[in-house]
Amino acid sequence: MDRFFPILEWLGNYKKGYFFSDLIAGLTVGIILIPQGMAYAMIAGLPPVYGLYASLLPVLMYVFLGTSRQVAVGPVAMDSLLVAASLGTLAITGIENYIAMVIVLTFLVGAIQITLGLFKMGFLVNYLSRPVISGFTSAAALIIIFTQLKHLLGVKIPGSSAFHELIMNAFVKIAETNLYDLLIGVLGILIIILLKKVNKKIPSILVVVILGIASVYYLNLEQFGVKLVGFVPSGLPSFQMPGINMQLVSELWPMALAIAMVGYLEAISIGKAMEEKAGEETIEPNQELMALGSSNIVGSFFQAYPITASFSRSAINGDAGAKTNLAAFFSIIMVVATLLFLTPIFYYLPNAVLASIIMVSVFKLIDIGYAKQLWIHRKDEFFVLLITFLATLSIGIKEGILIGVLISLLLMVYRTSNPHFAVLGQIKGTDYFKNINRFEEDVVLQEDLLIVRFDAQLYFANASYFKKELFKHINAKGIALKGVILNAEAINYIDSTAANMLKKVILELQEKGVRFYIAGAIGPTRDIIFSSGIIHLVQRENLFVKTKAAVAYFNNPEITEGLGVKIAHQNKTYSN
């Protein structure tokens, strides 16, 4: 039961001293969660109250099922933008229909995450490399910031997931700017930034919210056209079945898959960062999928939209001293109290204040420092980041991350199809065999022997490259060559295409009177050498544990390796 309900593990070992830390952390996060949740709901195109709905049952489910002790889940900017971008491509009329579609999308996100968790597919997130994520999140942050210009300027600006269209739409509407909205928004941004610089523990977001509500109420700013959140329905969300049908599922599942994967990646990356800081490893990737999936499915029955881990709130949660997931329970209590008693106050909250909160919160997602590092040290990965960034800005959110993943996979295929191929020589006075290009003056070479190392798995994509490189060096040796030793230490797999290629190479060398040896093959590779029939051409006596043994045997075939021979020949099929 501990595996399915991680709460049982930490609750059984809960210490009294944890309670106060969890209480303070939970209340601190709750103070941030309420205005942030309302702001992020606006990014998703939903009424602000839906951000509070997403901060209740989904968060409670994570308390029971989540494996991280410090992660704070709930509405986040990235998922909110993905929801808006996903549904923005569909012809939806009326806010009620839009909300219904969001709820169905939330259910599908949860169902996909649970399915991936059940089939232990958490490893799929590894295909979202860091350059792709950095490029995507930086572009998404810019798009989020510019989608908030309509609230900052107090004008109606058509939305778009393409950055250039957002800029053009905003430029056209600049003349209609409400200066009161602009002043409120700019002051909100400045206050949040300044308070964070003074002391990070000051709840700057709460301060801005209180100042915004008070200024509207006491100065009667509504009469000057300041746009307000307006009526926020009180009470807890009611139970409603999502209106699921096959047509909706066929339309929404690709978008749901993107949100599910990005949300999972956020949760895992944030959770790992929090673990490293806390010095305690508790995250189990597939259980995290189950936890997030359950949170989203249950949330869809109570009018929530997709949730995941929050960068900012998780950091605040950890800094405030959270010890367990119980901290999230106290955050939920604050949200419940707000929905039951405080919603009338939020009528006077300016949209420009929420826009300022969003802009400051997402700005830190723009990671220029990482891009600079890649430009200096990893230019190929920098271009993956740049292409993802530009595609996300110019084409769209979903398309950007898809293009980034494809480019990243193409780079991986290119690298594995053109891996490092080294010619080895013996370091003078030692038994070490190293790359002759790195140790030119310190290696001893034999004219009649070629030693090579291939630093990758040998498969269909690099088989021809291996053969081309091998024969390039064989031809360079000329007629003096009598033996070739393949150092196979880095080869962890040989597929059928590569095995056939290798057999042809060995036969071709034997016809020229050149003997072929294999040294350092690991267990799985030895199994393939035997099962594929390569062993019938190489012969057992030409299989060695170490390169130095192969060299010694080439120079004097009377030498045997004793136990080393037995190890070199050991395999699943033909073990001695």
Side-chain angles (χ1 to χ4, degrees):
M1 290 296 288
D2 289 3
R3 198 175 77 184
F4 297 105
F5 295 96
I7 188 176
L8 298 176
E9 182 179 348
W10 61 260
L11 198 59
N13 300 316
Y14 197 81
K15 299 177 182 178
K16 290 182 180 179
Y18 289 171
F19 182 81
F20 185 73
S21 297
D22 285 340
L23 175 64
I24 297 300
L27 295 179
T28 304
V29 171
I31 289 170
I32 307 301
L33 174 60
I34 293 164
Q36 259 194 358
M38 297 175 73
Y40 293 155
M42 290 171 60
I43 296 177
L46 294 166
V49 74
Y50 282 84
L52 300 181
Y53 294 163
S55 306
L56 291 175
L57 269 299
V59 179
L60 184 62
M61 289 299 298
Y62 189 85
V63 170
F64 284 91
L65 300 175
T67 58
S68 175
R69 300 288 186 266
Q70 282 84 31
V71 157
V73 300
V76 299
M78 189 66 70
D79 278 19
S80 301
L81 180 62
L82 286 171
V83 168
S86 299
L87 299 184
T89 59
L90 305 178
I92 305 172
T93 56
I95 188 64
E96 293 81 8
N97 291 329
Y98 184 85
I99 292 170
M101 292 283 275
V102 171
I103 290 171
V104 173
L105 181 64
T106 306
F107 179 87
L108 292 178
V109 169
I112 289 171
Q113 288 173 331
I114 282 184
T115 302
L116 293 174
L118 287 172
F119 286 94
K120 314 242 179 246
M121 303 291 283
F123 69 90
L124 286 175
V125 77
N126 296 330
Y127 289 98
L128 295 170
S129 65
R130 189 179 172 191
V132 170
I133 294 303
S134 180
F136 169 68
T137 52
S138 295
L142 281 176
I143 292 173
I144 291 170
I145 288 171
F146 275 81
T147 59
Q148 296 308 298
L149 282 179
K150 60 185 178 182
H151 300 302
L152 196 70
L153 302 177
V155 296
K156 290 184 178 179
I157 300 176
S160 174
S161 60
F163 186 64
H164 63 281
E165 292 179 2
L166 281 174
I167 294 175
M168 291 297 296
N169 294 341
F171 183 77
V172 170
K173 294 286 186 176
I174 284 179
E176 302 174 23
T177 298
N178 183 315
L179 294 178
Y180 290 94
D181 277 308
L182 180 60
L183 181 62
I184 291 170
V186 171
L187 285 175
I189 292 171
L190 293 175
I191 291 171
I192 293 173
I193 293 172
L194 289 173
L195 288 180
K196 284 184 177 294
K197 286 188 175 181
V198 172
N199 191 336
K200 290 184 179 181
K201 293 185 178 181
I202 297 174
S204 54
I205 292 176
L206 180 63
V207 171
V208 168
V209 168
I210 293 172
L211 289 176
I213 292 173
S215 62
V216 169
Y217 183 79
Y218 289 108
L219 300 177
N220 197 22
L221 295 181
E222 190 174 3
Q223 66 175 326
F224 298 105
V226 173
K227 308 298 186 296
L228 307 179
V229 167
F231 174 73
V232 178
S234 61
L236 302 178
S238 58
F239 177 86
Q240 291 183 11
M241 290 288 291
I244 300 172
N245 58 62
M246 290 310 298
Q247 183 180 350
L248 271 181
V249 171
S250 64
E251 287 181 345
L252 296 178
W253 79 262
M255 310 164 192
L257 178 61
I259 296 172
M261 291 298 291
V262 171
Y264 172 59
L265 176 69
E266 286 182 279
I268 288 295
S269 59
I270 294 168
K272 291 292 184 183
M274 298 301 294
E275 274 188 346
E276 192 172 321
K277 191 174 181 180
E280 181 184 16
E281 295 184 4
T282 60
I283 288 182
E284 202 287 300
N286 290 306
Q287 178 60 28
E288 281 296 290
L289 274 170
M290 299 293 290
L292 292 172
S294 301
S295 297
N296 282 314
I297 284 182
V298 171
S300 71
F301 290 105
F302 292 91
Q303 304 172 60
Y305 76 97
I307 63 97
T308 187
S310 163
F311 285 97
S312 58
R313 295 196 301 273
S314 295
I316 292 168
N317 197 38
D319 291 342
K323 300 298 183 184
T324 68
N325 289 353
L326 189 63
F329 184 74
F330 298 117
S331 298
I332 295 169
I333 292 175
M334 288 196 68
V335 177
V336 170
T338 300
L339 282 169
L340 292 178
F341 308 112
L342 303 177
T343 53
I345 297 175
F346 287 102
Y347 176 93
Y348 299 99
L349 179 61
N351 286 338
V353 166
L354 293 180
S356 69
I357 294 170
I358 292 168
M359 288 179 166
V360 175
S361 297
V362 303
F363 183 77
K364 58 179 169 283
L365 295 179
I366 303 173
D367 194 350
I368 297 174
Y370 180 61
K372 286 182 178 178
Q373 288 179 17
L374 291 183
W375 173 252
I376 296 170
H377 303 293
R378 305 277 184 178
K379 283 189 171 56
D380 53 352
E381 293 189 45
F382 170 80
F383 284 109
V384 172
L385 184 153
L386 183 62
I387 291 169
T388 306
F389 177 80
L390 295 176
T392 304
L393 284 183
S394 58
I395 303 174
I397 303 294
K398 303 184 302 298
E399 294 82 359
I401 196 167
L402 178 61
I403 289 171
V405 170
L406 290 176
I407 295 295
S408 188
L409 290 176
L410 285 174
L411 179 61
M412 180 187 73
V413 170
Y414 173 78
R415 284 174 175 167
T416 58
S417 61
N418 295 271
H420 185 242
F421 189 103
V423 175
L424 307 183
Q426 186 173 9
I427 302 295
K428 295 175 182 177
T430 74
D431 291 331
Y432 296 115
F433 290 81
K434 297 295 181 181
N435 188 341
I436 62 172
N437 292 327
R438 290 178 179 268
F439 301 89
E440 293 183 36
E441 299 178 359
D442 299 317
V443 296
V444 178
L445 295 176
Q446 292 184 219
E447 291 297 322
D448 58 347
L449 179 64
L450 174 66
I451 309 170
V452 296
R453 190 184 71 227
F454 193 69
D455 294 336
Q457 62 173 315
L458 195 51
Y459 73 120
F460 65 91
N462 60 28
S464 61
Y465 172 79
F466 172 87
K467 184 176 180 180
K468 182 184 73 173
E469 288 294 306
L470 178 63
F471 276 95
K472 181 178 75 174
H473 294 291
I474 287 173
N475 294 333
K477 281 283 188 179
I479 59 174
L481 184 67
K482 299 299 179 185
V484 173
I485 298 174
L486 171 62
N487 182 306
E489 292 173 359
I491 301 175
N492 57 17
Y493 181 73
I494 304 174
D495 75 354
S496 58
T497 302
N500 287 330
M501 177 276 299
L502 204 54
K503 285 191 280 188
K504 290 178 182 178
V505 166
I506 295 169
L507 284 172
E508 193 172 338
L509 290 175
Q510 288 176 349
E511 288 175 2
K512 295 179 178 180
V514 178
R515 286 168 284 169
F516 191 84
Y517 308 87
I518 298 176
I522 61 173
T525 305
R526 287 199 306 273
D527 293 340
I528 296 171
I529 289 171
F530 278 82
S531 64
S532 65
I534 294 173
I535 190 64
H536 299 312
L537 299 175
V538 175
Q539 299 300 322
R540 287 173 176 246
E541 60 268 22
N542 294 330
L543 221 57
F544 299 91
V545 174
K546 296 180 180 180
T547 301
K548 70 171 185 177
V551 172
Y553 183 79
F554 169 78
N555 290 323
N556 184 2
E558 301 300 321
I559 296 176
T560 58
E561 228 192 334
L563 181 60
V565 172
K566 186 173 182 179
I567 295 172
H569 296 174
Q570 191 277 332
N571 67 93
K572 285 184 178 179
T573 311
Y574 300 96
S575 58
N576 290 334

